Amino acid sequence: MMSTGNHRAGATAAPPRPWLPRLWLAALVCLAGGTTAKPVTVADLLARSPAADWRTPDPENTLYLELERGRVVIELASRVAPVHVANIRALARAHYFDGLAIVRVQDDYVVQWDDQTHRRPVPSQVHPSVEFTAVAGADARFQVLPDRDVYAPEVGFLDGFPAARDPRSHLVWLAHCYGMVGAGRDDPPESDATEMYAVIGHAPRQLDRNVALVGRVLQGMELLSSLPRGSGEMGFYTSSEAPVPIRSARLAADVPKAQRTPIEVLRTDSATFRAVLDQRRERHEPWFKFSPGRIDLCNVPLPVRAVHPDHLNL
Amino acid sequence: MMSTGNHRAGATAAPPRPWLPRLWLAALVCLAGGTTAKPVTVADLLARSPAADWRTPDPENTLYLELERGRVVIELASRVAPVHVANIRALARAHYFDGLAIVRVQDDYVVQWDDQTHRRPVPSQVHPSVEFTAVAGADARFQVLPDRDVYAPEVGFLDGFPAARDPRSHLVWLAHCYGMVGAGRDDPPESDATEMYAVIGHAPRQLDRNVALVGRVLQGMELLSSLPRGSGEMGFYTSSEAPVPIRSARLAADVPKAQRTPIEVLRTDSATFRAVLDQRRERHEPWFKFSPGRIDLCNVPLPVRAVHPDHLNL
């Protein structure tokens, strides 16, 4: 994991190990798995996955944020936050974000983009709303993760996004994991998605149910997370720091097919995803001496893969 | 929180709120708090904290990693991982890291520095060891956080670092939160701190008890977290990408006093720290409509402040 694969020469004898590794468990699984002793990796699982375990995000729910350094691909949670996603479609189609900038990069927290001048006209189709929890019907689509959570009674997945649920109230909401995208707001709580942010640090789950999450970065996350941090309060860029220009924000549906990013996402209701979860909980790789046995919602990989354009049904 | 403080003009009427905010609780606390309705912030708590609630890190336990962009200040966990910290002192004093480079930046995971050539002589005082859990005696110093955790039976703080404990075995170990620094290793599990890493993403807690954590970044974290991600496997820089040079790594004790970074850390056994924890659990600020009520270990702020050199007892 941390290793380069090269074992340093000259290592002296090791002191006694102060713990009992769970290697017997790994050994058992390896034996059960077949003739090879090599434990299965996530890469193995993805390589052997059937095509049906993958889905192509809807171009109407895919936003391309074009920066000078490249494209950030965002999948929009249209069934969870339909008003905000309709707003984002209207804003993108009005070219509202074009020429705006990333104005805030706060370390271990968020990247934010909006119109700091508040001078841009907002299309009349854009309506402020409160969508902190998913609209009715989400409960039936929620896939429970059996692992514990610090903040919510239950966690899991909703439409492919990390989510949480209160089984008493039947409320479901998206979770502020790394790479999630939300609609910033002031107080009162309505937001309209003219201000957007992406999480670039340890999951700020205290924001759950306090802001509308509207999607997730599928590709290009490093273009946001590696931006220089702003030196102003809350990570805002000051006048001496150049904001990061947004060339444009477009729905994939509005981009010529040849210019779209051919991408597929692993279905969270697939057998491959369940196998990935098991692998990540137990970590049978020999490098691991202590099996975590559990997984944090925001540590669950949500695999995305590039596909050859000819094989993509866009 | 996400706000710029300006409320967008022209907001239309809000739809009914689908949840019951805990504003009554916030109101109650504000009333109990005195004559002002303004809830207390972490900044308020720190501003009014007594001097005795702060500590100055020991210069023998403070490592300065000097990059071209500035200084990263790391506090070493000498009582938790004494062999590794002794190794780091010996390596720094032999100028082992000077002229090496950051060779790996993996998004949402770690930054790593080491000698990829494996040609540098390692001082004879450096001994590989396994320090995945704290040496005996740590149990008595562990401060329990009452909140839940996904991975460990108990979490809290040890010598000012985020940590976890198994009350049955009395084992205590440091936790892989954002900003924690560890000693990378291959397999077998011994490490000697010639390879080091810092966590730059969502806490990879699956690494707990699998690697020796040796400290925490106190200042300059953004110099590591905003580095370009490596395009190679596991985020290693490839031959086409310039590694990030390390000018030097020195103990603060070996740097002239005038060149040290004057810094203080809030004590985790102080009343101010307990008040910070309460504030962060309940979030009485009016922006919050739903109180999280709990806090994740890795979301607990561990405040650090610059002090005037004249006021610092170095």
Side-chain angles (χ1 to χ4, degrees):
Chain A
M1 179 60 56
M2 295 303 157
S3 159
T4 63
N6 303 316
H7 182 61
R8 179 170 298 280
T12 57
R17 297 183 189 183
W19 36 261
L20 283 174
R22 291 202 200 169
L23 281 176
W24 63 268
L25 186 63
L28 207 68
V29 169
C30 292
L31 288 170
T35 53
T36 172
K38 203 181 166 203
V40 172
T41 66
V42 168
D44 296 334
L45 293 169
L46 299 184
R48 68 170 75 148
S49 62
D53 283 1
W54 297 81
R55 65 183 173 86
T56 301
D58 184 343
E60 280 283 333
N61 290 333
T62 305
L63 186 72
Y64 292 156
L65 193 70
E66 306 283 359
L67 307 179
E68 287 177 3
R69 306 160 80 190
R71 173 182 285 178
V72 180
V73 181
I74 298 168
E75 181 172 22
L76 301 173
S78 61
R79 298 181 74 186
V80 181
V83 178
H84 279 86
V85 171
N87 287 349
I88 291 168
R89 290 195 194 110
L91 290 162
R93 287 183 167 137
H95 296 191
Y96 177 86
F97 294 105
D98 300 15
L100 290 182
I102 290 167
V103 294
R104 174 188 182 195
V105 185
Q106 184 169 359
D107 195 55
D108 194 20
Y109 199 42
V110 295
V111 161
Q112 179 182 323
W113 58 97
D114 58 33
D115 172 23
Q116 290 283 298
T117 68
H118 289 238
R119 283 192 204 140
R120 295 225 163 178
V122 176
S124 60
Q125 310 98 302
V126 171
H127 303 290
S129 72
V130 173
E131 292 181 310
F132 299 169
T133 53
V135 293
D139 196 21
R141 305 197 305 279
F142 186 79
Q143 298 155 353
V144 182
L145 191 70
D147 304 76
R148 292 195 291 240
D149 185 65
V150 175
Y151 290 93
E154 282 183 339
V155 287
F157 302 93
L158 177 64
D159 303 345
F161 299 97
R165 177 166 71 170
D166 182 344
R168 289 180 306 173
S169 65
H170 298 283
L171 287 176
V172 183
W173 57 93
L174 298 186
H176 275 84
C177 293
Y178 190 94
M180 288 295 283
V181 175
R185 67 167 176 86
D186 297 325
D187 189 23
E190 290 76 18
S191 53
D192 62 8
T194 51
E195 175 187 320
M196 295 181 74
Y197 65 93
V199 174
I200 61 161
H202 186 74
R205 298 282 307 283
Q206 71 277 6
L207 299 179
D208 290 3
R209 303 184 65 176
N210 278 301
V211 206
L213 284 167
V214 299
R216 179 171 82 91
V217 174
L218 297 182
Q219 190 177 293
M221 186 60 204
E222 70 284 358
L223 302 176
L224 299 176
S225 58
S226 66
L227 288 172
R229 277 48 181 161
S231 65
E233 202 178 350
M234 293 166 60
F236 277 93
Y237 286 135
T238 59
S239 55
S240 65
E241 295 162 320
V244 178
I246 293 171
R247 287 189 174 168
S248 70
R250 291 284 181 282
L251 292 168
D254 297 341
V255 169
K257 285 190 181 180
Q259 293 167 29
R260 294 182 193 169
T261 300
I263 217 169
E264 285 182 340
V265 180
L266 188 66
R267 292 180 188 276
T268 53
D269 59 355
S270 67
T272 300
F273 185 70
R274 286 190 291 277
V276 166
L277 269 172
D278 289 344
Q279 197 280 346
R280 285 279 153 156
R281 264 196 209 94
E282 300 300 339
R283 305 306 298 238
H284 299 303
E285 305 98 308
W287 187 90
F288 278 84
K289 305 310 175 191
F290 181 85
S291 167
R294 294 192 183 84
I295 193 161
D296 180 317
L297 172 69
C298 295
N299 275 329
V300 174
L302 294 168
V304 173
R305 68 178 181 187
V307 287
H308 192 282
D310 292 349
H311 300 152
L312 193 68
N313 179 29
L314 272 182
Chain B
M1 178 59 59
M2 296 301 160
S3 159
T4 63
N6 304 315
H7 182 59
R8 177 170 302 280
T12 57
R17 299 184 187 181
W19 36 260
L20 282 174
R22 291 201 200 169
L23 281 178
W24 62 269
L25 186 62
L28 207 69
V29 168
C30 292
L31 288 171
T35 52
T36 171
K38 202 181 166 204
V40 172
T41 66
V42 168
D44 297 333
L45 293 168
L46 299 184
R48 68 171 74 148
S49 63
D53 283 2
W54 298 81
R55 64 183 174 86
T56 302
D58 184 343
E60 279 284 333
N61 290 334
T62 305
L63 187 72
Y64 293 156
L65 193 69
E66 307 283 359
L67 307 179
E68 287 176 4
R69 306 160 79 189
R71 173 181 284 178
V72 180
V73 181
I74 298 168
E75 181 172 22
L76 301 172
S78 62
R79 298 181 74 186
V80 181
V83 178
H84 280 85
V85 172
N87 287 350
I88 291 168
R89 289 194 193 112
L91 290 162
R93 288 183 165 138
H95 297 190
Y96 177 86
F97 293 104
D98 300 13
L100 291 182
I102 289 168
V103 294
R104 174 189 182 194
V105 185
Q106 184 169 359
D107 196 54
D108 194 18
Y109 199 43
V110 296
V111 160
Q112 178 181 324
W113 57 98
D114 59 32
D115 172 24
Q116 290 283 298
T117 68
H118 289 237
R119 282 192 204 139
R120 294 227 164 176
V122 176
S124 60
Q125 309 98 300
V126 170
H127 302 290
S129 72
V130 174
E131 292 181 309
F132 298 169
T133 54
V135 292
D139 196 21
R141 304 197 307 279
F142 186 79
Q143 298 155 353
V144 181
L145 191 71
D147 305 76
R148 290 194 293 239
D149 185 65
V150 175
Y151 290 93
E154 281 183 341
V155 286
F157 302 93
L158 177 64
D159 303 345
F161 299 96
R165 177 168 71 172
D166 182 343
R168 289 180 306 173
S169 65
H170 298 282
L171 286 177
V172 183
W173 57 94
L174 298 187
H176 275 84
C177 292
Y178 191 93
M180 288 295 284
V181 175
R185 66 168 177 86
D186 297 324
D187 190 22
E190 289 77 20
S191 52
D192 62 8
T194 51
E195 175 187 319
M196 295 179 75
Y197 65 93
V199 173
I200 60 161
H202 186 74
R205 296 280 309 280
Q206 71 278 7
L207 299 179
D208 290 3
R209 303 184 65 176
N210 278 301
V211 206
L213 283 167
V214 299
R216 177 171 85 91
V217 175
L218 297 183
Q219 189 176 293
M221 187 59 203
E222 71 285 358
L223 302 175
L224 300 175
S225 58
S226 66
L227 289 172
R229 278 46 182 163
S231 65
E233 201 178 353
M234 293 165 60
F236 277 93
Y237 286 136
T238 59
S239 54
S240 65
E241 294 160 321
V244 178
I246 292 171
R247 287 188 175 167
S248 70
R250 290 282 182 283
L251 292 167
D254 297 342
V255 169
K257 284 190 181 181
Q259 293 168 28
R260 295 183 193 169
T261 300
I263 217 170
E264 286 183 338
V265 180
L266 188 66
R267 292 181 189 275
T268 53
D269 60 356
S270 67
T272 301
F273 184 70
R274 285 190 292 276
V276 166
L277 269 171
D278 289 344
Q279 197 279 346
R280 285 280 152 156
R281 263 194 210 97
E282 299 300 341
R283 306 305 298 238
H284 299 304
E285 305 98 309
W287 187 91
F288 279 84
K289 306 309 174 190
F290 182 85
S291 167
R294 295 194 182 83
I295 192 160
D296 181 314
L297 173 69
C298 295
N299 276 328
V300 174
L302 294 169
V304 173
R305 69 178 180 188
V307 286
H308 192 282
D310 292 347
H311 301 153
L312 194 69
N313 179 29
L314 271 179

